[in-house]
Amino acid sequence: MNMGKVTSLEVAAKAGVSRSAVSRVFTPGASVSKDTAEKVRKAAAALGYRPNVLARSLITGRSRIIGLVVAYLENQFYPEAIERLSKALQAEGYHVLVFMASNDHAATQTVIDELLDYQVDAIIAASVGLSNDLTQRCEGLGIPIVLFNRHQYDDRLTSVASDNEAGGRKLAEFLIAGGHTRIAHIAGWEGASTQIDRERGFIAGLEAAGMTLYARGLGNFDFETAQAAARAMFGPEDRPDAVFVANDHMAFAVMDVLRYELGLRVPEDVSVVGYDDVTLAHWPSYDLTTVRQPAGRMVAATVDALMARLTEEDTEPRRITLDGPLIIRGSARAPKGQSK
C-alpha cells in the first residue's frame, strides 16, 4: 500500500492516460470521454487518490466555493434556506462556505475579509447589509455579490427577496376583514429592508381602511426581545385584539407569552399573524397564520443570478422581488366565509 500522497501522475500511469486527462476527469464541466473517465476513476479508487481542489484553484483561478454570510440561524427560515441554497449550488458544481456575522457593518467587513482569504468565487449575503467600501472592494476583485432575503439601495448589487411590502399589506387587510379594531405590530430589526418593507405595507393597508397602528413594540428578530415586547404591550387593560409579528420566529415567542404567562387565548382574545411560513408554523401547537416566503423560488433566482454573473452572461445588477401567498391557519380570527 502506498502510504505517501498519491499524485495525478501515478493515476495517469495506472490508467494509461495522460496527466491532463486525469485533470479533466476531476474538473467539473470539463470535456472527457466516458471510457477515459471510467479508467481514471477506477485507477484513482485503487490508489486512494483524491484531487487537490485548493491546488487546482491556484491554477484555474476558480475555487468553486461560494461564501455565504448569514447574521443568525435562530430564525428557522435561514437553516431551511441555506440547505436549499447548498443543494442548488452543489448541482452547479459549487460548494458553500458559511460564515456567521452580525447586523453590524464592521463585523460584516471582518467576516467578508476572512471569506476573501479563502479565494471564494462569489458571495451570498443573507440577512446582512454591505458597506459601500466593501461593495467597491469586491467589485474591484471581480467577486460577484448577491443579497438573499434583503434589498439594499445600491445599484451595484443584485438582490433577491420576497415582496415584503405586499405581504405586510395582505396581513393588514386580513386582520381588518376579521373585524379587528386594535391592531398592533411587533417589529424586527429596524435596519433590515425586510422589516422596513413589511411594516410599510402593513401600515399602508391600515391607512387604506382609515385605521392607524394601535400599538408598536420592537422585537429585533430575537426570541427573548419579542417576549419582552409582548409582555409590555399586552397589559390588563386596552390591549390590542390583533398583532402582526414581523417574522414567525418572534411570533412563536409572542404566542407563548400570551398563552402561558398572560393567560390569553389565541385567537379568541388576541389574533397573531407572522411572516415566513417556516415548518414550525404548520405545527398544531402554533397553527400560525402567516405570509409564506417563496423560499424555493428565491433560492432558484439567487443561484440563477449568481451563475449569470460568474459566467458573465449577465453582469447587470438586478433587484428581484417575488410575491408570497397569505397562509390562513388558526392563530387569527378569519373573516366571515373565509377559513384555513
Side-chain angles (χ1 to χ4, degrees):
M1 181 180 292
N2 185 356
M3 300 301 292
K5 193 173 183 66
V6 180
T7 68
S8 60
L9 193 59
E10 291 174 88
V11 175
K14 186 171 181 62
V17 299
S18 67
R19 190 174 186 177
S20 62
V22 174
S23 177
R24 290 197 303 275
V25 168
F26 291 104
T27 300
S31 176
V32 63
S33 72
K34 184 178 179 180
D35 180 59
T36 298
E38 186 177 338
K39 286 194 293 185
V40 168
R41 292 192 183 280
K42 186 176 179 180
L47 294 171
Y49 169 78
R50 296 296 302 167
N52 189 328
V53 175
L54 294 178
R56 185 194 303 144
S57 71
L58 296 175
I59 299 169
T60 64
R62 301 288 293 273
S63 67
R64 311 294 294 186
I65 296 174
I66 305 298
L68 174 60
V69 185
V70 63
Y72 38 68
L73 293 178
E74 293 89 350
N75 178 357
Q76 296 89 349
F77 174 75
Y78 285 107
E80 295 173 14
I82 289 170
E83 182 179 358
R84 288 172 182 255
L85 275 168
S86 296
K87 289 180 178 178
L89 288 166
Q90 283 174 13
E92 297 288 344
Y94 289 84
H95 294 281
V96 173
L97 184 62
V98 180
F99 273 61
M100 300 300 299
S102 68
N103 285 314
D104 176 84
H105 277 314
T108 303
Q109 171 104 25
T110 300
V111 167
I112 291 186
D113 279 343
E114 293 175 3
L115 267 180
L116 295 178
D117 290 341
Y118 281 87
Q119 303 295 312
V120 296
D121 289 344
I123 293 172
I124 298 174
S127 72
V128 296
L130 302 179
S131 68
N132 180 67
D133 289 344
L134 194 53
T135 301
Q136 189 169 355
R137 183 180 171 199
C138 290
E139 188 178 41
L141 292 170
I143 298 175
I145 299 173
V146 176
L147 302 182
F148 178 81
N149 197 36
R150 179 69 59 88
H151 285 314
Q152 190 168 319
Y153 298 102
D154 189 326
D155 293 338
R156 296 167 299 178
L157 293 171
T158 288
S159 59
V160 179
S162 66
D163 194 337
N164 291 288
E165 190 165 344
R169 182 183 284 269
K170 289 175 186 177
L171 289 168
E173 292 169 349
F174 172 78
L175 293 175
I176 293 166
H180 299 89
T181 57
R182 303 186 306 279
I183 301 175
H185 177 48
I186 294 180
W189 180 57
E190 293 178 306
S193 66
T194 48
Q195 163 57 36
I196 294 168
D197 292 343
R198 288 172 194 178
E199 184 170 10
R200 181 188 294 124
F202 190 67
I203 290 175
L206 294 177
E207 291 178 344
M211 298 177 65
T212 57
L213 199 62
Y214 183 75
R216 185 182 190 274
L218 186 61
N220 271 333
F221 292 139
D222 176 75
F223 196 88
E224 287 77 15
T225 307
Q227 287 181 315
R231 294 184 190 108
M233 180 177 287
F234 289 90
E237 298 179 2
D238 299 325
R239 60 174 175 256
D241 61 5
V243 58
F244 163 39
V245 190
N247 72 3
D248 292 355
H249 177 62
M250 294 194 301
F252 303 141
V254 171
M255 291 176 75
D256 286 349
V257 167
L258 295 177
R259 288 168 166 170
Y260 306 122
E261 293 186 25
L262 304 180
L264 297 174
R265 297 170 301 166
V266 177
E268 292 84 357
D269 298 322
V270 182
S271 287
V272 180
V273 297
Y275 205 111
D276 282 340
D277 194 31
V278 300
T279 300
L280 198 58
H282 307 193
W283 290 15
S285 54
Y286 291 110
D287 199 26
L288 181 64
T289 292
T290 185
V291 170
R292 175 178 295 160
Q293 292 227 66
R297 289 189 291 136
M298 289 168 64
V299 165
T302 299
V303 173
D304 287 348
L306 203 58
M307 293 303 106
R309 297 296 300 276
L310 285 167
T311 59
E312 299 187 348
E313 291 178 6
D314 182 3
T315 58
E316 287 299 315
R318 289 181 281 163
R319 185 183 174 97
I320 301 167
T321 303
L322 302 169
D323 188 44
L326 173 67
I327 306 299
I328 300 172
R329 298 195 182 96
S331 69
R333 187 170 71 232
K336 288 183 179 179
Q338 192 172 4
S339 60
K340 62 177 181 176

